[in-house]
Amino acid sequence: MNLLRQLELEHMKSAIPDFGIGDTVDVHYMIKEGDKERIQVFSGTVIAIQGSGIRRVATVRRLVAGEGVERIFPLHSPRVATVEVKERGLVRRAKLYYLRDREGKGTRVKPNMGKLRFPRSGKGSGIQKTAPKTES
Amino acid sequence: MSLGILGKKLGMTQIFKEDGTCVPVTIVQAGPCKVLQVKMATAAEFAEGDKTASVNRGKKSGRVARPRRADGYYAVQLGFDNKPARVSSKAELGHAKKAGADATRLVREFRLAAAPTVKTGEEVTVKLLEGVKCVDVVGITKGRGWTGTIKRHNFSQQPMSHGNSLNHRTGGGLGRQHSISSGVPKGKRMAGHYGVERVTVQNLEVVKIDAERNLVYLHGAVPGHNRGYLVLQKTKKVARVIAAPPGVKVKK
């Protein structure tokens, strides 16, 4: 294996939750308030995943008071505690940037009713109608 | 002037600090380097094994040993990245043999202010950088071929519109006309070959040292392509200490 990739692996989290584009997720993110640290939950739709290895980031979009808010989370950052999958989405693109131009009902992503297999990245996946419990 | 170490750029990635800060790092394989030669200002300072040098006196007498002359300055010559004997010249092989080493692809000398403590044949490893906060890195930049003035000398682009035609990335005027000192000034910056030059990047923070695998993680980018050779040395930059004005408490 490429040495650089090997070194990257050593700094990566052993596992990141299996989620994909179009999924509705809760990202538990550590924030600092003064001296205290607490976990904040950012829930929204995953509209893009970019990068590989330790540089992997996910863009999560949600609507706050009718205004679109997007946050980019480095998945291997120690500040991203967990990513909880709320609902699997059924989408036909890798990047859901079209959601930015939509309002109201148009922003909904079709729920995946067991049509796609999970986990997407692994072997031995069975059809699961409910979102599987994700590891942190 | 201090002893440095030779290395090879492996590539860039990022790592996270404990507080979540993302640090862009270049991973460099630094050493192990063999000390090929130690140079001394006076002959008396040579180590025991270095006191004699052999000289070829022709077919009749062959190689004859004689006292080694002083080099006139202090320096340590390091070799890095062994290369097979079949691609080495006899001169390289003979020189490395004196240090009990293989011929190396990269040989560099470090000038020192005082007599070096390392001896010929010893190994210099990345442990040399332990406790060093920042380093200067010398490398050969990537070649860019023939480039225009915008890329090569950071000239500005000309307007894309407002009547400008066909002169968007050209260098502009070269000199003055109709005056006593007409002609193009010497050293006028123009288009030409850019890159493949020796560049030093100063004050790169040493993020992490992996002594087991001879790796050092540096904050930021270093010159050259991956697998390019580098020279790492403790930085010349002096950390500036700003004294607090009297009566002002410094937050720690």
Side-chain angles (χ1 to χ4, degrees):
Chain A
M1 195 193 285
N2 181 343
L3 179 62
L4 202 70
R5 174 113 182 91
Q6 173 76 45
L7 294 169
E8 243 183 24
L9 274 174
E10 286 165 23
H11 291 94
M12 277 156 65
K13 290 179 186 171
S14 54
I16 50 172
D18 187 71
F19 63 91
I21 308 291
D23 292 355
T24 306
V25 292
D26 280 359
V27 181
H28 296 248
Y29 195 70
M30 299 248 274
I31 58 162
K32 226 176 195 174
E33 276 178 346
D35 291 342
K36 278 182 189 168
E37 285 201 334
R38 69 179 185 86
I39 282 179
Q40 196 181 46
V41 179
F42 186 91
S43 42
T45 316
V46 179
I47 63 163
I49 295 176
Q50 281 171 322
S52 66
I54 198 169
R55 296 181 301 275
R56 203 162 178 77
V57 295
T59 309
V60 182
R61 181 182 172 85
R62 67 173 297 191
L63 287 175
V64 180
E67 192 64 41
V69 175
E70 282 178 20
R71 284 199 69 170
I72 300 170
F73 294 100
L75 298 180
H76 288 280
S77 164
R79 299 203 81 84
V80 174
T82 48
V83 181
E84 214 175 301
V85 182
K86 288 292 174 196
E87 197 180 58
R88 300 287 186 184
L90 187 60
V91 289
R92 300 174 68 157
R93 352 223 135 254
K95 303 279 186 278
L96 307 184
Y97 295 141
Y98 65 87
L99 291 179
R100 289 172 177 168
D101 306 326
R102 297 197 177 178
E103 284 172 17
K105 279 187 180 177
T107 57
R108 286 176 308 177
V109 172
K110 225 184 195 177
N112 174 31
M113 307 304 263
K115 214 170 179 185
L116 289 178
R117 283 159 186 274
F118 293 98
R120 286 172 189 168
S121 53
K123 285 173 203 162
S125 52
I127 296 172
Q128 287 165 324
K129 282 194 175 169
T130 52
K133 275 265 164 79
T134 50
E135 290 166 48
S136 60
Chain B
M1 292 187 289
S2 62
L3 183 61
I5 193 165
L6 310 176
K8 195 191 247 184
K9 174 175 172 178
L10 293 182
M12 286 195 76
T13 180
Q14 66 186 31
I15 55 175
F16 292 98
K17 282 188 185 168
E18 271 171 31
D19 63 349
T21 329
C22 178
V23 187
V25 290
T26 308
I27 303 180
V28 175
Q29 191 206 330
C33 303
K34 261 271 163 63
V35 178
L36 296 182
Q37 198 180 1
V38 176
K39 297 193 175 179
M40 292 293 187
T42 57
E45 288 168 300
F46 282 124
E48 218 30 68
D50 282 353
K51 281 206 190 302
T52 55
S54 67
V55 64
N56 198 348
R57 284 273 154 77
K59 259 185 191 167
K60 246 185 190 171
S61 16
R63 296 199 76 85
V64 181
R66 60 156 175 76
R68 189 177 158 199
R69 286 202 198 103
D71 299 292
Y73 62 97
Y74 298 113
V76 172
Q77 192 188 72
L78 296 184
F80 172 65
D81 207 4
N82 292 349
K83 65 176 173 181
R86 77 188 142 76
V87 293
S88 314
S89 72
K90 282 189 176 170
E92 284 171 335
L93 286 171
H95 185 63
K97 202 178 146 192
K98 282 183 205 164
D102 288 336
T104 51
R105 287 188 199 274
L106 185 70
V107 178
R108 286 288 179 275
E109 191 174 291
F110 292 89
R111 289 281 292 256
L112 302 177
T117 48
V118 289
K119 304 227 157 44
T120 311
E122 277 182 5
E123 236 174 31
V124 174
T125 64
V126 74
K127 282 180 185 158
L128 183 86
L129 294 177
E130 269 168 13
V132 174
K133 202 160 174 265
C134 291
V135 289
D136 293 344
V137 180
V138 183
I140 306 288
T141 57
K142 281 181 184 172
R144 274 119 175 139
W146 181 279
T147 57
T149 50
I150 293 171
K151 190 188 261 287
R152 192 174 183 217
H153 299 301
N154 294 331
F155 278 23
S156 302
Q157 259 179 307
Q158 290 180 36
M160 281 293 132
S161 61
H162 292 293
N164 190 354
S165 118
L166 308 179
N167 275 313
H168 306 296
R169 290 180 66 92
T170 57
L174 295 182
R176 43 225 177 296
Q177 285 180 355
H178 313 307
S179 82
I180 312 158
S181 56
S182 61
V184 179
K186 291 271 185 287
K188 176 74 196 152
R189 292 175 297 169
M190 295 185 192
H193 182 267
Y194 178 44
V196 202
E197 50 197 22
R198 183 190 151 106
V199 166
T200 308
V201 181
Q202 292 188 318
N203 228 8
L204 291 179
E205 191 196 332
V206 177
V207 178
K208 193 177 163 184
I209 288 174
D210 186 344
E212 207 171 287
R213 281 176 292 192
N214 297 301
L215 300 173
V216 53
Y217 292 58
L218 302 176
H219 187 148
V222 303
H225 54 79
N226 291 351
R227 301 201 304 279
Y229 289 120
L230 303 168
V231 180
L232 279 66
Q233 214 167 356
K234 190 177 173 235
T235 187
K236 276 184 173 175
K237 294 263 179 196
V238 182
R240 205 160 24 147
V241 181
I242 304 166
V248 176
K249 270 189 182 173
V250 181
K251 230 181 178 182
K252 279 193 178 171

